[in-house]
Amino acid sequence: MEENPSFPSEETLFNNREGLETVLNGCYSSVANYNYYGADFHYLTDMSSGLYNTNRDGSLKDIAALNPPASLNFVENVWKAFYITIARSNDLISGVAGSALADESEINDILGQAYFLRSFTYFNLVRLYGKGPLITEKITSSTINYPMSTSEEIYAQVIADAEKAYELLSSSGFDMEGRPNQFAAKMLLTKVYMTLAGNGTAGETEYWQKAYDEAIQVYGEFNLVPDYRTLWFEETSNNTGESIFEVQANIENTLNLIQIFTASSGVKGRTTWGRLKPNLEVYDLHDVTYPEDPRFHATFHTEWTKYKANGSTSIQKTYPKFKKRNNKDNSYPWSYKYYAKDHTIINFNSNMNLVVYRYADLLLMLAEIENELNGPENAYQYVNEVLARARQSADIPSVEPQDWSGMTQEEFRVAIMHEYQFELLTEGQDWFTLRRRGYEYYKTNVIDVHNNHPKYDFTILRDVEYPDNDRIMLMPIPASEITANPNISANDQNLGY
Amino acid sequence: MLLTYKLTIMKRVFLLLLLFTSCLVYGQGQERITGKVTDDGGGGVPGVSVTEKGTLNGAITNFNGEYFIEVSSKDAVLSFSFIGFETQEITINGRTNIDVVLVENVTEIDEVVIVGYGEMRKSDVTGSIAKVKASDEEARQYGSVDALLQGRVSGVSVSSNAGSPGSAISVRIRGINSLRGNNEPLYVVDGIIINSAGEDVVDAVSEANELQSPQNGLTGINPRDIESIEILKDASATAIYGSRGANGVVLITTKQGKTSKSGKANISAYGSVELSWMAKDVDLLGAQGYADYQNEYGMQIGNQPIYHTDHGEIYPITYDANGVPTIGATPYQQINWQDEIYEMGISHNEGLTVSGVSKKTKYYFSAGFTNQKGIVESSDIKRGDLRLNLSQNVSSKLKLNTRLSMMYQSGNFAQSGSKMGGNRSFTKQVMSYRPLVGFTDEENDDLELEISNPYAWLTDFEDKSKELRINAATSLEYKLVKGLKYKFNAGLDYRNKDRSKWHGIGIYKGQKDNGSLALSYLDRYSYVIDNLLMFKRTFNEDHSINTTLGITYDGSHITNKIYEVKDFPVKTLRAEAPELGQTILTPLTINPAEETMQSYLGRVNYSYRNRYVFTASFRADGSSKFAKGNRFGYFPAAAFAWRLSEENFIKGLNVFDNFKLRLGWGKTGNQGISPYQTISNFSSGFYVDANGNPIIANSSSNIANPNLTWETTNQYNTGLDLSFFNGRLNSTLDMYYKETVDLLQNIAVGKSNGYSYMTTNLGEIENKGIELAVNGIVIEKKDVSLEFGGHISFNRNKVQKLGLNPSSVWSDGVESQEVFYLGNNVSTGGYFKAPANVYMEGQPIGMFWGYKTKGIYQNDEEATAGSSFLGNPAVAGDVAFIDQNNDGNINDLDKTFIGNPNPDFTYGFNMAFRYKNLSISMLFEGVYGNEVANGYLMELGFAEGNSKNILKDAYEKAWRPSDSTSPDGYDYPRLGYDDNEYFTDRIVEDGSYLRLSNLTIGYELPIKWKNGLEKVNLYLTGKNLFTLTNYSGYDPQVTSFMFDGTIMGVDWTGTPNATSVMCGVNLTF
């Protein structure tokens, strides 16, 4: 009467390298899952970033209006996806500890990646939700339902894990294409310290310094691809020298970015949704700052082909050419980075990976850190590397964006924050970058700019006015966690929800 | 009953005739006759009285059953009679040796009740057991056993939908025992456990928005072949099935060959044709109403009207850049989609049975074919089945019994709804799709239809299934000594099913995937091996003992295979050519699962002077599903019955023919979870390497729970059986209380655990109820008879304990701390993406949980005074929500009880009337006091302003801005109101109904047939002829989420039910 199941057991998976690799792949597959970078993470963070509108009418009243309910599926799903990744990393880390491979240094690269993924995901979690249960062990039936931990406890774990990842990955000399190496851990640590620094806390300078110490080690370890435009075509975008951390995909295991970012009926198969589209002020800011920036046309799409049911097509022109406000198709521009480049495709499956961290981001970060620590003098060099590449990203090199010089520290600070948007819009960083400098910054630079944009008509359905409410600095703790976890109560809900 | 009565009359007539003839021949010469009288086992029967008809001349058989008699003539008639057997009269016809096989008396057989692992005299039964015996005429009208049970027995409720042939049927005995969903009873056919009522292939469609429509798992048992069905309701009867008895047990006995008086085979053939059509449609806007709605709303939001009506035709209006309108030349096609899509289905069914007895062999053979059409053009099932039951008396002590049945069916099913609803659901599209359709261009007649239009669901969707089912059982019975026998029973239930679902590009999913195909296979065999020792004897006439002891071993091997592929460059071959799919979504995945169970059982039934009857039973079950230490469960039961009618002080009253009081207690279990829950499971998926190649990704898929054990139900039952007027009026009253503890549940855990659910033993629920069944024969005369029967059952359930932490709940401004959890979200789409049910301590199971409303804000003052909804202030014409916590805003905290899906009572009654050759029978069934959440109304009941069609009333009675409030107020919110995706009491409706589920008129042709044809019986049957209900949806019998215990009483995927008329003929040769 003993059960002999046919699925692999812990013994077969954790006691040899090949089995362990498949478990590590399991950790990555949860990062690529629909609820995480496959789709929902973009919905949640982009839609509520303050930079996007949606043609998903249901969302116009909630997340696109910076008003996320605790029971919203995107709020729920992303939380769930984070914790699945964490649980799988925990399974691997605890599984190795109890296995025959525990003392073998040949698996340091595998362990290192598991620590990286755990750190990376807790970091996403603590920034988005502010807090959560801190779990670092395999869940068993007797340890389920952990209580809340504080943001400080989680940050401490994020840092410890990232450092552990760095140590394990560097000791094994690991550098496998398509996988984060030790410098990805440094990139992560840089972001952690910048986030901690940006909140105006007591240890601000100390954190900027720590951020610098991490970032400078990554400097020169990667390189910018020559043409910015090639980052957005599946033939050329995958696993370039610019990529620091990248989620892998193919058509069978596709990320749903094309579906989300391509206009509804924007491909022959009419299978795309057009769910995320940049706000007018986002388009305008780039247009006003660098009208000749080659990145501009790689980022926005204002003329597109629409397919009707009978197969006929028509060319549609969006904002700014299209003037009316209440139109699902055209009252907003489209984001081009993940837009279907070939509109004759039937379905949205694609081989395109998602680059989560790339080197251009690191250069901008390094510039920002340097400016915060010592002023602009030594900071220009980093940002100008990014700008130089941008100018080259056209058939005939452009004059814009010109190299920076002669700024005050404050001017530099304002400019660099905009530069993140010009370089990295829609790449999953917007929500975090904009909130890193606190609610006052967010209100002034996002909410007010949006609400005061003259073209909007907030009396109609499509345009959404943003509320002035600092609760939007965090997402609500998902309702199901409060309901189903007996150790978490309504008192644990984030302020304002 | 009718049939038996008829036989008795015929027998009497026959007897008189014989008497008459024998008188005529009296007084002729002496003849010496010898012979032997045996029972059907071949053993000689001593003490049988043998008499020459019409004389006093007689003899008695000796110890070996042999007799010798001298009769007056060669044409004399011998009569053989013996208690418990039918008296037989045989004309000598010049023979000198006449052997006779005695035939058991039919009425005596009626007195035997099949119980778990044995049978008992009815008088010895101590538990609550109901017997269903349908006439051939009735049985042949039904395609499955569970459908046959509908409305016939107290305490048994059956949900099904006749509009979709082959769809799942759910049977509940005495309420809801567990919160896990599958509360189906255990089915045992001829002693072999067939535990598959809720079983189906694994859904191969990986997309969570799709919902595999459940199909009936109880295939392969044709009601035609059923001799009787006993339903074991209380624990004293079911505890012998131990860990699987908690939901009640349905024991099915198939037919055996019976001795006929003529000694030749019984051959009968039957055939029927059935027409079925949609029983009820939903009152939606017609084409004109729809055009008015669109125009009015369009103008309300500042657009121009787009429809123009002229002489009943509706034309498009288009506007040029300057706003100058042009009326189109071609009018729209006006389509009532419900009429267009649902049509009459024509089904037919035919078969043959041959049975008989020859010396030591009894045989029963039957074969049949059914072609069933649903009310949707694309749905049909073809089924062929056959059965062979053979019993052989190998020797006077050894008896061999073999039963073999095979069934093969293939069918296509209409899509019955998706988790998402909207255009993902066929049924929904038929209602919502706009009734005005244009043409793509002037020359062609091609309609301009969007993706997932109702036609596309007929042409571009396939859900095909093929199934082979084999049931085989063999038993060997050996008489050891008097009263003691050993029985070896072995059986196999084999099921092989494959199901393929194709979505073509006319349907949203197919378009998205460029054609997608999901294949699922189920290959399952389960087996039973019983070793039973049975002892049955009466001592000194006062003590009668009936015991069973046994060791049984059973198990099942299930292999599920799934495969999913999409992106088809060539789509014409559909499900036939999975190799044409270019993108594999799920590679061939094989999931075998094995479970085994070892059990020890025993039962003693002791009766003293037929007055006091005691039964005690015990079963120990060891299941592979639980870890060592929790593996064995012990299930005792005890019961007592007092037959007061045997006591002199009752006998003296001369009122009761039977007066029996029963008391019983028992413990039963449930282990209906998937195997491997106590250990860590790993499942495989994919990640991708840097070269774009898929690589295997393994991850844990459950939280192992080594502490899992049985869910246990303790049940107390007390019953009273009464019988009056020579058995013409009978009644049975039962009261029960049962308490289920250690509920096996897949409880939601915080998602922070990395899992959403964990299987665990948690919580307690109780069910209590009263059941009453009465039947009476009002008239019983030669030419006329009239019978009535009826039953009613009350069941109340309650969640007693959940073992969770309390949370805050508001009701009418009062906060309380309650322990509860919510059910699963009904939908994955925009509407009803919320749980409908709450499971709260102290409350009935699955109460509806949502927002209470109080009509519509009739004017601005009311709206201003009202609460805002999720932060948005209300305006006139909005739904007025009730603010439970009085904080001025409606949100999750304002959810409260808005209905109860549990009925107050269920009932049924039947009538049978016969006049000469004509018979009429009726069967009514009903449910009272339950509520149904009509999920369809969430869209249909609101004039939201999109292009979907809605209820007539939702538009016509919608709130409109006017100077004065209409005298009675408006019932429906304003045009453009779109907070309708939330669960409110607006969509909760009374689900009570009374249905005439069967009306049959039979007629036996009064013609003397030659050429072997004995009897011709014609009948006309109407099923589901009318339903009295206030429910506005298709059918108050909810079939959505049948096997999901966390969604109750929600009509989300409901399909129209069918009314049908059938005419059939039964021929007996």
Side-chain angles (χ1 to χ4, degrees), chain A residues 174-179 238-240 248, chain B residues 689-691:
Chain A
F174 171 79
D175 193 0
M176 184 173 142
E177 205 191 351
R179 293 290 173 90
N238 291 355
N239 302 313
T240 67
Q248 310 287 319
Chain B
D689 71 10
N691 301 317

Side-chain angles (χ1 to χ4, degrees), chain A residues 6 22 25 73 145 273 481 486, chain B residues 508 696 698 751-753 833:
Chain A
S6 66
T22 66
N25 295 342
N73 57 341
N145 294 327
W273 286 346
E481 186 70 37
Chain B
Y508 178 76
I696 293 292
N698 283 318
K751 304 235 166 56
S752 62
N753 293 294
K833 191 186 247 167

Side-chain angles (χ1 to χ4, degrees), chain B residues 293-315:
Chain B
Y293 163 42
Q294 294 295 324
N295 282 345
E296 183 180 347
Y297 179 67
M299 291 193 286
Q300 184 181 311
I301 58 166
N303 295 338
Q304 298 293 320
I306 51 167
Y307 295 110
H308 171 76
T309 308
D310 187 15
H311 291 90
E313 297 284 9
I314 297 167
Y315 298 83

